[in-house]
């Protein structure tokens, strides 16, 4: 939202205290997950990548042609199935749960899949500045999110030269706000 | 494709024999997963839901308004993160791997998440005929895929009245082809 200068109100939801499981929250998203976008009193939109597509419509963050739009979605579905379940889940277990013994096997099992996802990104970013070509799109936002904190999940980014250059490129875009 | 009468050539890829890991396949999709759509000699599109969006553009399977399009994506991202990893993976372990002892704990761990996803769908389908309203969209195709074979993953659909009515509704649509 800051990248496109869109005014909004941010409401924090404490997932560690199960706030997504209240009846009031489930009335907005029956799947009990953040984020949720309130579009109007009657319309709530859930799933981060669907929200990004909705907000980016008509901006340079979402291209015009059918194939380019589908390419953005390709990387966003890759993020949800092949990247987040490894990198974000490993980070959650380590950073938020403190790497408890009963999650250690699961944590370790995430390493191979996480590095596979990073390798697929590295290959693309060796060819183009951004995931969908030489301009940034919402696919970059989706994958920047957990990639730039992958080290908190135990994934060293040292060997991924193209990913590091891409992270730097994104962090210099007008409107970029560093994580608080 | 049959629902919109689109001519195409279907090429079978044997995932159990690792055909997605050949160099030729990875040149089409470096993430080594099916399906892949060959758009042209230079353009290959991967991720099933991205392919559905690309093919449905300009048809009644993808609505026009920004919010309705984002709603379709919402259900497709739900499918990839909250439905497929439980229902399709449990089915794979049971149907294709024959429920081996070393995957039994994993298989059992999928039951809760799978039924949670089915409950979220049931709630929506009690209100509307299809996931995004009273007309079918590609969101229904995405979620029909593994829902209609959920019993092969050990998920009884008996109590999901609205899901059963929805499955029947889809199977009566012109162009519907039953699984071979």
């Amino acid at each position: 939202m800051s990248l496109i200068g869109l005014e909004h109100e941010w409401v924090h939801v404490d997932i560690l205290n199960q706030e997504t499981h209240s009846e009031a929250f489930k009335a907005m998203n029956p799947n009990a997950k953040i984020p949720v976008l309130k579009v109007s009193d009657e319309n709530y939109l859930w799933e981060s990548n669907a929200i990004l597509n909705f907000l980016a419509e008509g901006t340079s963050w979402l291209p015009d042609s059918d194939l380019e739009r589908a390419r953005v979605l390709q990387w966003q579905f890759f993020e949800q199935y092949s990247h987040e379940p490894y990198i974000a889940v490993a980070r959650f277990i380590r950073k938020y749960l403190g790497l408890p013994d009963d999650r250690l096997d699961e944590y370790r099992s995430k390493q191979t899949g996480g590095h596979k996802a990073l390798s697929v990104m590295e290959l693309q970013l060796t060819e183009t500045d951004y995931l969908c070509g030489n301009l940034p799109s919402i696919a970059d936002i989706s994958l920047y999110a957990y990639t730039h904190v992958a080290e908190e999940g135990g994934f060293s980014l040292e060997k991924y030269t193209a990913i590091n250059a891409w992270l730097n490129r994104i962090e210099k875009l007008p409107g970029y706000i560093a994580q608080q």
Side-chain angles (χ1 to χ4, degrees), chain A residues 35-67:
Chain A
V36 175
L37 179 72
K38 180 177 179 175
V39 180
S40 69
D41 282 343
E42 295 78 34
N43 286 298
Y44 293 87
L45 186 63
W46 27 285
E47 292 294 332
S48 57
N49 286 303
I51 293 170
L52 279 174
N53 275 271
F54 178 69
L55 296 174
E57 197 67 62
T59 78
S60 67
W61 291 85
L62 189 55
D64 283 329
S65 87
D66 293 352
L67 184 57

